[in-house]
Amino acid sequence: MNILIAYAGKTGTTKTCAHMLADKLNRATVVDLNKENINPEKFEIIVVGSSVRMGMIQKSLQKWLKENWEVLKQRKLACFICNGFLEQEKQILAGNFSQEFMDHAFYVRSFGGELDVNKLKGFDKFVAKNVMRSAQGKAMGTPKILEDRIAELANEILGL
Ligand SMILES: Cc1cc2nc3c(=O)[nH]c(=O)nc-3n(C[C@H](O)[C@H](O)[C@H](O)COP(=O)(O)O)c2cc1C
């Protein structure tokens, strides 16, 4: 089975998750959509992944999904997002992916995230601090990568 993992992130979590998933599969092509474009035609299983900022997935993934939808809708498609707060998962998915996408994809879930404001600068740091403060106010959990979900998707793919 030809597997593609096409991801877009900003500070490294999505990349880490894409590679953790690839390590659990026998063979997968991993592509950073912020660095290169790829034609999905020759792949049978396609996993797309994106980080979330202010509720939105990465523009490069939005564009790639639009440009390649005719092919993607004929393939086995899975999707993960990396975001800090699981409480926002449903809302983020509903706000970023069409009903057609959600109906077609066999897996759409958050793999969790990481958020270290000390590693951020400028506007990102300002926004992240506010996001963290608002999350603390709502007693949301601390962001972390959910390895069990990565294993869950890997098992689903290996079982196809
Ligand atoms: C500027 C900024 C905005 C963010 N906005 C959200 C958000 O709206 N919802 C959320 O759940 N997480 C949010 N996060 C947390 C990120 O989704 C999390 O840090 C994720 O792991 C980032 O993935 P990346 O390292 O691949 O970019 C935000 C983080 C930053 C830095």
PDB file of all heavy atoms in Angstrom, residues 91-129:
ATOM      1  N   GLN A  91     -15.300  21.700  17.528  1.00  0.00           N
ATOM      2  CA  GLN A  91     -15.558  23.018  16.946  1.00  0.00           C
ATOM      3  C   GLN A  91     -14.536  23.326  15.829  1.00  0.00           C
ATOM      4  O   GLN A  91     -14.899  23.820  14.770  1.00  0.00           O
ATOM      5  CB  GLN A  91     -15.402  24.029  18.078  1.00  0.00           C
ATOM      6  CG  GLN A  91     -15.947  25.388  17.812  1.00  0.00           C
ATOM      7  CD  GLN A  91     -15.601  26.328  18.969  1.00  0.00           C
ATOM      8  OE1 GLN A  91     -15.440  25.891  20.120  1.00  0.00           O
ATOM      9  NE2 GLN A  91     -15.453  27.595  18.659  1.00  0.00           N
ATOM     10  N   ILE A  92     -13.268  22.988  16.074  1.00  0.00           N
ATOM     11  CA  ILE A  92     -12.217  23.243  15.071  1.00  0.00           C
ATOM     12  C   ILE A  92     -12.466  22.392  13.829  1.00  0.00           C
ATOM     13  O   ILE A  92     -12.385  22.881  12.702  1.00  0.00           O
ATOM     14  CB  ILE A  92     -10.815  22.956  15.665  1.00  0.00           C
ATOM     15  CG1 ILE A  92     -10.480  23.977  16.742  1.00  0.00           C
ATOM     16  CG2 ILE A  92      -9.747  22.960  14.569  1.00  0.00           C
ATOM     17  CD1 ILE A  92      -9.272  23.619  17.598  1.00  0.00           C
ATOM     18  N   LEU A  93     -12.800  21.123  14.033  1.00  0.00           N
ATOM     19  CA  LEU A  93     -13.037  20.240  12.886  1.00  0.00           C
ATOM     20  C   LEU A  93     -14.234  20.735  12.075  1.00  0.00           C
ATOM     21  O   LEU A  93     -14.162  20.837  10.853  1.00  0.00           O
ATOM     22  CB  LEU A  93     -13.251  18.795  13.354  1.00  0.00           C
ATOM     23  CG  LEU A  93     -12.026  18.126  13.997  1.00  0.00           C
ATOM     24  CD1 LEU A  93     -12.385  16.752  14.538  1.00  0.00           C
ATOM     25  CD2 LEU A  93     -10.866  18.015  13.014  1.00  0.00           C
ATOM     26  N   ALA A  94     -15.310  21.092  12.762  1.00  0.00           N
ATOM     27  CA  ALA A  94     -16.513  21.568  12.066  1.00  0.00           C
ATOM     28  C   ALA A  94     -16.247  22.873  11.321  1.00  0.00           C
ATOM     29  O   ALA A  94     -16.798  23.106  10.241  1.00  0.00           O
ATOM     30  CB  ALA A  94     -17.653  21.752  13.059  1.00  0.00           C
ATOM     31  N   GLY A  95     -15.381  23.711  11.871  1.00  0.00           N
ATOM     32  CA  GLY A  95     -15.116  25.012  11.269  1.00  0.00           C
ATOM     33  C   GLY A  95     -14.127  24.976  10.109  1.00  0.00           C
ATOM     34  O   GLY A  95     -13.996  25.953   9.375  1.00  0.00           O
ATOM     35  N   ASN A  96     -13.393  23.856   9.964  1.00  0.00           N
ATOM     36  CA  ASN A  96     -12.332  23.816   8.950  1.00  0.00           C
ATOM     37  C   ASN A  96     -12.542  22.806   7.832  1.00  0.00           C
ATOM     38  O   ASN A  96     -11.887  22.911   6.790  1.00  0.00           O
ATOM     39  CB  ASN A  96     -10.989  23.509   9.613  1.00  0.00           C
ATOM     40  CG  ASN A  96     -10.428  24.714  10.342  1.00  0.00           C
ATOM     41  OD1 ASN A  96      -9.794  25.562   9.726  1.00  0.00           O
ATOM     42  ND2 ASN A  96     -10.693  24.815  11.639  1.00  0.00           N
ATOM     43  N   PHE A  97     -13.406  21.823   8.077  1.00  0.00           N
ATOM     44  CA  PHE A  97     -13.563  20.773   7.074  1.00  0.00           C
ATOM     45  C   PHE A  97     -15.031  20.676   6.644  1.00  0.00           C
ATOM     46  O   PHE A  97     -15.926  20.726   7.491  1.00  0.00           O
ATOM     47  CB  PHE A  97     -13.068  19.428   7.623  1.00  0.00           C
ATOM     48  CG  PHE A  97     -11.600  19.455   7.975  1.00  0.00           C
ATOM     49  CD1 PHE A  97     -11.188  19.623   9.289  1.00  0.00           C
ATOM     50  CD2 PHE A  97     -10.633  19.363   6.984  1.00  0.00           C
ATOM     51  CE1 PHE A  97      -9.834  19.686   9.613  1.00  0.00           C
ATOM     52  CE2 PHE A  97      -9.277  19.433   7.289  1.00  0.00           C
ATOM     53  CZ  PHE A  97      -8.874  19.591   8.609  1.00  0.00           C
ATOM     54  N   SER A  98     -15.221  20.522   5.328  1.00  0.00           N
ATOM     55  CA  SER A  98     -16.590  20.466   4.796  1.00  0.00           C
ATOM     56  C   SER A  98     -17.268  19.158   5.219  1.00  0.00           C
ATOM     57  O   SER A  98     -16.601  18.181   5.590  1.00  0.00           O
ATOM     58  CB  SER A  98     -16.536  20.533   3.264  1.00  0.00           C
ATOM     59  OG  SER A  98     -15.903  19.363   2.774  1.00  0.00           O
ATOM     60  N   GLN A  99     -18.581  19.146   5.095  1.00  0.00           N
ATOM     61  CA  GLN A  99     -19.328  17.928   5.408  1.00  0.00           C
ATOM     62  C   GLN A  99     -18.902  16.792   4.479  1.00  0.00           C
ATOM     63  O   GLN A  99     -18.780  15.640   4.903  1.00  0.00           O
ATOM     64  CB  GLN A  99     -20.837  18.196   5.275  1.00  0.00           C
ATOM     65  CG  GLN A  99     -21.705  17.135   5.919  1.00  0.00           C
ATOM     66  CD  GLN A  99     -21.396  16.917   7.400  1.00  0.00           C
ATOM     67  OE1 GLN A  99     -21.306  17.863   8.166  1.00  0.00           O
ATOM     68  NE2 GLN A  99     -21.191  15.663   7.795  1.00  0.00           N
ATOM     69  N   GLU A 100     -18.627  17.150   3.213  1.00  0.00           N
ATOM     70  CA  GLU A 100     -18.185  16.152   2.220  1.00  0.00           C
ATOM     71  C   GLU A 100     -16.868  15.506   2.679  1.00  0.00           C
ATOM     72  O   GLU A 100     -16.688  14.286   2.599  1.00  0.00           O
ATOM     73  CB  GLU A 100     -18.006  16.834   0.849  1.00  0.00           C
ATOM     74  CG  GLU A 100     -17.774  15.844  -0.269  1.00  0.00           C
ATOM     75  CD  GLU A 100     -17.504  16.516  -1.614  1.00  0.00           C
ATOM     76  OE1 GLU A 100     -17.252  17.737  -1.653  1.00  0.00           O
ATOM     77  OE2 GLU A 100     -17.513  15.787  -2.625  1.00  0.00           O
ATOM     78  N   PHE A 101     -15.950  16.337   3.180  1.00  0.00           N
ATOM     79  CA  PHE A 101     -14.657  15.849   3.672  1.00  0.00           C
ATOM     80  C   PHE A 101     -14.882  14.920   4.877  1.00  0.00           C
ATOM     81  O   PHE A 101     -14.352  13.805   4.925  1.00  0.00           O
ATOM     82  CB  PHE A 101     -13.787  17.049   4.065  1.00  0.00           C
ATOM     83  CG  PHE A 101     -12.430  16.678   4.597  1.00  0.00           C
ATOM     84  CD1 PHE A 101     -11.321  16.682   3.760  1.00  0.00           C
ATOM     85  CD2 PHE A 101     -12.246  16.324   5.930  1.00  0.00           C
ATOM     86  CE1 PHE A 101     -10.061  16.331   4.238  1.00  0.00           C
ATOM     87  CE2 PHE A 101     -11.002  15.965   6.414  1.00  0.00           C
ATOM     88  CZ  PHE A 101      -9.902  15.971   5.567  1.00  0.00           C
ATOM     89  N   MET A 102     -15.702  15.379   5.824  1.00  0.00           N
ATOM     90  CA  MET A 102     -15.941  14.600   7.051  1.00  0.00           C
ATOM     91  C   MET A 102     -16.619  13.258   6.731  1.00  0.00           C
ATOM     92  O   MET A 102     -16.315  12.245   7.348  1.00  0.00           O
ATOM     93  CB  MET A 102     -16.827  15.391   8.033  1.00  0.00           C
ATOM     94  CG  MET A 102     -16.222  16.690   8.495  1.00  0.00           C
ATOM     95  SD  MET A 102     -14.732  16.470   9.467  1.00  0.00           S
ATOM     96  CE  MET A 102     -15.404  16.383  11.106  1.00  0.00           C
ATOM     97  N   ASP A 103     -17.523  13.285   5.753  1.00  0.00           N
ATOM     98  CA  ASP A 103     -18.227  12.052   5.381  1.00  0.00           C
ATOM     99  C   ASP A 103     -17.285  11.071   4.678  1.00  0.00           C
ATOM    100  O   ASP A 103     -17.406   9.867   4.820  1.00  0.00           O
ATOM    101  CB  ASP A 103     -19.406  12.356   4.431  1.00  0.00           C
ATOM    102  CG  ASP A 103     -20.537  13.075   5.157  1.00  0.00           C
ATOM    103  OD1 ASP A 103     -20.539  13.064   6.399  1.00  0.00           O
ATOM    104  OD2 ASP A 103     -21.400  13.663   4.472  1.00  0.00           O
ATOM    105  N   HIS A 104     -16.345  11.630   3.907  1.00  0.00           N
ATOM    106  CA  HIS A 104     -15.453  10.773   3.131  1.00  0.00           C
ATOM    107  C   HIS A 104     -14.298  10.194   3.962  1.00  0.00           C
ATOM    108  O   HIS A 104     -13.914   9.032   3.783  1.00  0.00           O
ATOM    109  CB  HIS A 104     -14.894  11.554   1.933  1.00  0.00           C
ATOM    110  CG  HIS A 104     -13.910  10.763   1.143  1.00  0.00           C
ATOM    111  ND1 HIS A 104     -14.242   9.572   0.522  1.00  0.00           N
ATOM    112  CD2 HIS A 104     -12.597  10.949   0.909  1.00  0.00           C
ATOM    113  CE1 HIS A 104     -13.172   9.079  -0.066  1.00  0.00           C
ATOM    114  NE2 HIS A 104     -12.163   9.885   0.154  1.00  0.00           N
ATOM    115  N   ALA A 105     -13.733  10.990   4.856  1.00  0.00           N
ATOM    116  CA  ALA A 105     -12.552  10.551   5.611  1.00  0.00           C
ATOM    117  C   ALA A 105     -12.925   9.444   6.602  1.00  0.00           C
ATOM    118  O   ALA A 105     -13.966   9.516   7.256  1.00  0.00           O
ATOM    119  CB  ALA A 105     -11.941  11.732   6.345  1.00  0.00           C
ATOM    120  N   PHE A 106     -12.066   8.400   6.684  1.00  0.00           N
ATOM    121  CA  PHE A 106     -12.392   7.303   7.621  1.00  0.00           C
ATOM    122  C   PHE A 106     -11.892   7.615   9.030  1.00  0.00           C
ATOM    123  O   PHE A 106     -12.219   6.903   9.986  1.00  0.00           O
ATOM    124  CB  PHE A 106     -11.853   5.954   7.108  1.00  0.00           C
ATOM    125  CG  PHE A 106     -10.340   5.842   7.089  1.00  0.00           C
ATOM    126  CD1 PHE A 106      -9.638   5.397   8.196  1.00  0.00           C
ATOM    127  CD2 PHE A 106      -9.634   6.180   5.933  1.00  0.00           C
ATOM    128  CE1 PHE A 106      -8.259   5.272   8.173  1.00  0.00           C
ATOM    129  CE2 PHE A 106      -8.247   6.072   5.899  1.00  0.00           C
ATOM    130  CZ  PHE A 106      -7.554   5.627   7.019  1.00  0.00           C
ATOM    131  N   TYR A 107     -11.072   8.664   9.176  1.00  0.00           N
ATOM    132  CA  TYR A 107     -10.560   9.023  10.503  1.00  0.00           C
ATOM    133  C   TYR A 107     -10.321  10.530  10.534  1.00  0.00           C
ATOM    134  O   TYR A 107      -9.608  11.057   9.685  1.00  0.00           O
ATOM    135  CB  TYR A 107      -9.239   8.301  10.757  1.00  0.00           C
ATOM    136  CG  TYR A 107      -8.660   8.502  12.143  1.00  0.00           C
ATOM    137  CD1 TYR A 107      -8.826   7.531  13.130  1.00  0.00           C
ATOM    138  CD2 TYR A 107      -7.946   9.653  12.467  1.00  0.00           C
ATOM    139  CE1 TYR A 107      -8.310   7.711  14.404  1.00  0.00           C
ATOM    140  CE2 TYR A 107      -7.424   9.835  13.746  1.00  0.00           C
ATOM    141  CZ  TYR A 107      -7.615   8.849  14.701  1.00  0.00           C
ATOM    142  OH  TYR A 107      -7.100   9.023  15.969  1.00  0.00           O
ATOM    143  N   VAL A 108     -10.925  11.222  11.480  1.00  0.00           N
ATOM    144  CA  VAL A 108     -10.668  12.660  11.650  1.00  0.00           C
ATOM    145  C   VAL A 108     -10.646  12.945  13.155  1.00  0.00           C
ATOM    146  O   VAL A 108     -11.680  12.888  13.819  1.00  0.00           O
ATOM    147  CB  VAL A 108     -11.764  13.548  10.990  1.00  0.00           C
ATOM    148  CG1 VAL A 108     -11.347  15.019  11.055  1.00  0.00           C
ATOM    149  CG2 VAL A 108     -12.038  13.153   9.556  1.00  0.00           C
ATOM    150  N   ARG A 109      -9.437  13.203  13.693  1.00  0.00           N
ATOM    151  CA  ARG A 109      -9.333  13.440  15.136  1.00  0.00           C
ATOM    152  C   ARG A 109      -8.150  14.342  15.455  1.00  0.00           C
ATOM    153  O   ARG A 109      -7.254  14.507  14.632  1.00  0.00           O
ATOM    154  CB  ARG A 109      -9.099  12.127  15.884  1.00  0.00           C
ATOM    155  CG  ARG A 109     -10.334  11.353  16.172  1.00  0.00           C
ATOM    156  CD  ARG A 109     -10.068  10.250  17.155  1.00  0.00           C
ATOM    157  NE  ARG A 109     -10.643  10.521  18.454  1.00  0.00           N
ATOM    158  CZ  ARG A 109     -10.593   9.687  19.485  1.00  0.00           C
ATOM    159  NH1 ARG A 109      -9.978   8.546  19.375  1.00  0.00           N
ATOM    160  NH2 ARG A 109     -11.138   9.991  20.636  1.00  0.00           N
ATOM    161  N   SER A 110      -8.118  14.844  16.662  1.00  0.00           N
ATOM    162  CA  SER A 110      -6.949  15.609  17.113  1.00  0.00           C
ATOM    163  C   SER A 110      -5.917  14.654  17.702  1.00  0.00           C
ATOM    164  O   SER A 110      -6.275  13.708  18.415  1.00  0.00           O
ATOM    165  CB  SER A 110      -7.371  16.617  18.176  1.00  0.00           C
ATOM    166  OG  SER A 110      -6.225  17.212  18.750  1.00  0.00           O
ATOM    167  N   PHE A 111      -4.660  14.916  17.409  1.00  0.00           N
ATOM    168  CA  PHE A 111      -3.553  14.179  18.047  1.00  0.00           C
ATOM    169  C   PHE A 111      -3.009  14.967  19.236  1.00  0.00           C
ATOM    170  O   PHE A 111      -1.912  14.701  19.719  1.00  0.00           O
ATOM    171  CB  PHE A 111      -2.417  13.965  17.038  1.00  0.00           C
ATOM    172  CG  PHE A 111      -2.606  12.796  16.092  1.00  0.00           C
ATOM    173  CD1 PHE A 111      -1.661  12.531  15.109  1.00  0.00           C
ATOM    174  CD2 PHE A 111      -3.688  11.948  16.199  1.00  0.00           C
ATOM    175  CE1 PHE A 111      -1.801  11.451  14.241  1.00  0.00           C
ATOM    176  CE2 PHE A 111      -3.843  10.867  15.336  1.00  0.00           C
ATOM    177  CZ  PHE A 111      -2.900  10.620  14.355  1.00  0.00           C
ATOM    178  N   GLY A 112      -3.764  15.967  19.691  1.00  0.00           N
ATOM    179  CA  GLY A 112      -3.298  16.802  20.789  1.00  0.00           C
ATOM    180  C   GLY A 112      -2.284  17.821  20.305  1.00  0.00           C
ATOM    181  O   GLY A 112      -2.212  18.126  19.122  1.00  0.00           O
ATOM    182  N   GLY A 113      -1.505  18.359  21.213  1.00  0.00           N
ATOM    183  CA  GLY A 113      -0.538  19.393  20.811  1.00  0.00           C
ATOM    184  C   GLY A 113       0.436  19.710  21.924  1.00  0.00           C
ATOM    185  O   GLY A 113       0.431  19.055  22.976  1.00  0.00           O
ATOM    186  N   GLU A 114       1.263  20.680  21.648  1.00  0.00           N
ATOM    187  CA  GLU A 114       2.232  21.163  22.642  1.00  0.00           C
ATOM    188  C   GLU A 114       2.154  22.685  22.598  1.00  0.00           C
ATOM    189  O   GLU A 114       1.955  23.250  21.528  1.00  0.00           O
ATOM    190  CB  GLU A 114       3.654  20.744  22.265  1.00  0.00           C
ATOM    191  CG  GLU A 114       3.833  19.234  22.187  1.00  0.00           C
ATOM    192  CD  GLU A 114       5.146  18.852  21.511  1.00  0.00           C
ATOM    193  OE1 GLU A 114       5.369  19.292  20.366  1.00  0.00           O
ATOM    194  OE2 GLU A 114       5.924  18.119  22.128  1.00  0.00           O
ATOM    195  N   LEU A 115       2.345  23.303  23.736  1.00  0.00           N
ATOM    196  CA  LEU A 115       2.340  24.769  23.713  1.00  0.00           C
ATOM    197  C   LEU A 115       3.280  25.300  24.786  1.00  0.00           C
ATOM    198  O   LEU A 115       2.974  25.265  25.971  1.00  0.00           O
ATOM    199  CB  LEU A 115       0.904  25.299  23.918  1.00  0.00           C
ATOM    200  CG  LEU A 115       0.691  26.794  23.716  1.00  0.00           C
ATOM    201  CD1 LEU A 115       1.199  27.270  22.365  1.00  0.00           C
ATOM    202  CD2 LEU A 115      -0.768  27.156  23.840  1.00  0.00           C
ATOM    203  N   ASP A 116       4.463  25.741  24.335  1.00  0.00           N
ATOM    204  CA  ASP A 116       5.446  26.312  25.251  1.00  0.00           C
ATOM    205  C   ASP A 116       5.648  27.772  24.860  1.00  0.00           C
ATOM    206  O   ASP A 116       6.333  28.072  23.880  1.00  0.00           O
ATOM    207  CB  ASP A 116       6.764  25.518  25.128  1.00  0.00           C
ATOM    208  CG  ASP A 116       7.807  26.012  26.121  1.00  0.00           C
ATOM    209  OD1 ASP A 116       7.557  27.056  26.763  1.00  0.00           O
ATOM    210  OD2 ASP A 116       8.856  25.352  26.257  1.00  0.00           O
ATOM    211  N   VAL A 117       5.003  28.657  25.619  1.00  0.00           N
ATOM    212  CA  VAL A 117       5.056  30.080  25.245  1.00  0.00           C
ATOM    213  C   VAL A 117       6.477  30.632  25.249  1.00  0.00           C
ATOM    214  O   VAL A 117       6.789  31.573  24.525  1.00  0.00           O
ATOM    215  CB  VAL A 117       4.146  30.976  26.138  1.00  0.00           C
ATOM    216  CG1 VAL A 117       2.692  30.776  25.820  1.00  0.00           C
ATOM    217  CG2 VAL A 117       4.428  30.767  27.589  1.00  0.00           C
ATOM    218  N   ASN A 118       7.365  30.026  26.022  1.00  0.00           N
ATOM    219  CA  ASN A 118       8.752  30.511  26.091  1.00  0.00           C
ATOM    220  C   ASN A 118       9.503  30.309  24.775  1.00  0.00           C
ATOM    221  O   ASN A 118      10.509  30.963  24.533  1.00  0.00           O
ATOM    222  CB  ASN A 118       9.508  29.809  27.227  1.00  0.00           C
ATOM    223  CG  ASN A 118       8.880  30.153  28.557  1.00  0.00           C
ATOM    224  OD1 ASN A 118       8.509  31.301  28.782  1.00  0.00           O
ATOM    225  ND2 ASN A 118       8.710  29.156  29.413  1.00  0.00           N
ATOM    226  N   LYS A 119       9.002  29.391  23.946  1.00  0.00           N
ATOM    227  CA  LYS A 119       9.672  29.140  22.663  1.00  0.00           C
ATOM    228  C   LYS A 119       9.145  30.062  21.565  1.00  0.00           C
ATOM    229  O   LYS A 119       9.629  30.031  20.446  1.00  0.00           O
ATOM    230  CB  LYS A 119       9.473  27.679  22.233  1.00  0.00           C
ATOM    231  CG  LYS A 119      10.301  26.694  23.043  1.00  0.00           C
ATOM    232  CD  LYS A 119      10.185  25.317  22.418  1.00  0.00           C
ATOM    233  CE  LYS A 119      10.870  24.267  23.266  1.00  0.00           C
ATOM    234  NZ  LYS A 119      10.414  22.924  22.924  1.00  0.00           N
ATOM    235  N   LEU A 120       8.101  30.841  21.906  1.00  0.00           N
ATOM    236  CA  LEU A 120       7.480  31.692  20.880  1.00  0.00           C
ATOM    237  C   LEU A 120       7.961  33.136  21.006  1.00  0.00           C
ATOM    238  O   LEU A 120       8.458  33.550  22.051  1.00  0.00           O
ATOM    239  CB  LEU A 120       5.957  31.635  21.028  1.00  0.00           C
ATOM    240  CG  LEU A 120       5.334  30.253  20.856  1.00  0.00           C
ATOM    241  CD1 LEU A 120       3.890  30.261  21.337  1.00  0.00           C
ATOM    242  CD2 LEU A 120       5.392  29.803  19.405  1.00  0.00           C
ATOM    243  N   LYS A 121       7.776  33.862  19.912  1.00  0.00           N
ATOM    244  CA  LYS A 121       8.191  35.268  19.906  1.00  0.00           C
ATOM    245  C   LYS A 121       7.052  36.146  19.391  1.00  0.00           C
ATOM    246  O   LYS A 121       6.144  35.669  18.718  1.00  0.00           O
ATOM    247  CB  LYS A 121       9.387  35.449  18.967  1.00  0.00           C
ATOM    248  CG  LYS A 121      10.675  34.879  19.510  1.00  0.00           C
ATOM    249  CD  LYS A 121      11.825  35.250  18.591  1.00  0.00           C
ATOM    250  CE  LYS A 121      13.066  34.464  18.985  1.00  0.00           C
ATOM    251  NZ  LYS A 121      13.802  33.966  17.844  1.00  0.00           N
ATOM    252  N   GLY A 122       7.154  37.449  19.667  1.00  0.00           N
ATOM    253  CA  GLY A 122       6.293  38.456  19.062  1.00  0.00           C
ATOM    254  C   GLY A 122       4.804  38.191  19.210  1.00  0.00           C
ATOM    255  O   GLY A 122       4.328  37.843  20.293  1.00  0.00           O
ATOM    256  N   PHE A 123       4.095  38.335  18.093  1.00  0.00           N
ATOM    257  CA  PHE A 123       2.638  38.227  18.088  1.00  0.00           C
ATOM    258  C   PHE A 123       2.178  36.825  18.502  1.00  0.00           C
ATOM    259  O   PHE A 123       1.190  36.666  19.224  1.00  0.00           O
ATOM    260  CB  PHE A 123       2.105  38.574  16.688  1.00  0.00           C
ATOM    261  CG  PHE A 123       0.611  38.627  16.613  1.00  0.00           C
ATOM    262  CD1 PHE A 123      -0.121  39.576  17.336  1.00  0.00           C
ATOM    263  CD2 PHE A 123      -0.091  37.715  15.833  1.00  0.00           C
ATOM    264  CE1 PHE A 123      -1.501  39.610  17.275  1.00  0.00           C
ATOM    265  CE2 PHE A 123      -1.479  37.746  15.762  1.00  0.00           C
ATOM    266  CZ  PHE A 123      -2.177  38.693  16.478  1.00  0.00           C
ATOM    267  N   ASP A 124       2.936  35.798  18.049  1.00  0.00           N
ATOM    268  CA  ASP A 124       2.594  34.416  18.393  1.00  0.00           C
ATOM    269  C   ASP A 124       2.597  34.218  19.906  1.00  0.00           C
ATOM    270  O   ASP A 124       1.730  33.566  20.476  1.00  0.00           O
ATOM    271  CB  ASP A 124       3.602  33.439  17.771  1.00  0.00           C
ATOM    272  CG  ASP A 124       3.320  33.209  16.296  1.00  0.00           C
ATOM    273  OD1 ASP A 124       2.330  33.774  15.801  1.00  0.00           O
ATOM    274  OD2 ASP A 124       4.096  32.478  15.656  1.00  0.00           O
ATOM    275  N   LYS A 125       3.626  34.796  20.543  1.00  0.00           N
ATOM    276  CA  LYS A 125       3.760  34.665  22.001  1.00  0.00           C
ATOM    277  C   LYS A 125       2.578  35.355  22.693  1.00  0.00           C
ATOM    278  O   LYS A 125       1.978  34.804  23.617  1.00  0.00           O
ATOM    279  CB  LYS A 125       5.080  35.304  22.445  1.00  0.00           C
ATOM    280  CG  LYS A 125       5.420  35.049  23.894  1.00  0.00           C
ATOM    281  CD  LYS A 125       6.839  35.472  24.198  1.00  0.00           C
ATOM    282  CE  LYS A 125       7.228  34.988  25.565  1.00  0.00           C
ATOM    283  NZ  LYS A 125       8.599  34.580  25.635  1.00  0.00           N
ATOM    284  N   PHE A 126       2.252  36.526  22.192  1.00  0.00           N
ATOM    285  CA  PHE A 126       1.139  37.306  22.748  1.00  0.00           C
ATOM    286  C   PHE A 126      -0.171  36.509  22.639  1.00  0.00           C
ATOM    287  O   PHE A 126      -0.909  36.350  23.610  1.00  0.00           O
ATOM    288  CB  PHE A 126       1.041  38.637  21.982  1.00  0.00           C
ATOM    289  CG  PHE A 126      -0.150  39.455  22.328  1.00  0.00           C
ATOM    290  CD1 PHE A 126      -0.200  40.181  23.523  1.00  0.00           C
ATOM    291  CD2 PHE A 126      -1.243  39.520  21.466  1.00  0.00           C
ATOM    292  CE1 PHE A 126      -1.318  40.940  23.843  1.00  0.00           C
ATOM    293  CE2 PHE A 126      -2.362  40.266  21.779  1.00  0.00           C
ATOM    294  CZ  PHE A 126      -2.400  40.986  22.970  1.00  0.00           C
ATOM    295  N   VAL A 127      -0.424  35.977  21.435  1.00  0.00           N
ATOM    296  CA  VAL A 127      -1.667  35.216  21.207  1.00  0.00           C
ATOM    297  C   VAL A 127      -1.680  33.958  22.069  1.00  0.00           C
ATOM    298  O   VAL A 127      -2.668  33.648  22.738  1.00  0.00           O
ATOM    299  CB  VAL A 127      -1.842  34.845  19.713  1.00  0.00           C
ATOM    300  CG1 VAL A 127      -3.046  33.935  19.517  1.00  0.00           C
ATOM    301  CG2 VAL A 127      -1.993  36.093  18.865  1.00  0.00           C
ATOM    302  N   ALA A 128      -0.533  33.235  22.071  1.00  0.00           N
ATOM    303  CA  ALA A 128      -0.459  31.973  22.815  1.00  0.00           C
ATOM    304  C   ALA A 128      -0.698  32.200  24.311  1.00  0.00           C
ATOM    305  O   ALA A 128      -1.385  31.409  24.961  1.00  0.00           O
ATOM    306  CB  ALA A 128       0.887  31.313  22.578  1.00  0.00           C
ATOM    307  N   LYS A 129      -0.153  33.301  24.844  1.00  0.00           N
ATOM    308  CA  LYS A 129      -0.360  33.610  26.274  1.00  0.00           C
ATOM    309  C   LYS A 129      -1.839  33.812  26.563  1.00  0.00           C
ATOM    310  O   LYS A 129      -2.358  33.327  27.561  1.00  0.00           O
ATOM    311  CB  LYS A 129       0.412  34.884  26.635  1.00  0.00           C
ATOM    312  CG  LYS A 129       1.837  34.622  27.063  1.00  0.00           C
ATOM    313  CD  LYS A 129       2.428  35.909  27.578  1.00  0.00           C
ATOM    314  CE  LYS A 129       3.837  35.677  28.066  1.00  0.00           C
ATOM    315  NZ  LYS A 129       4.532  36.941  28.349  1.00  0.00           N
TER     316      LYS A 129
END
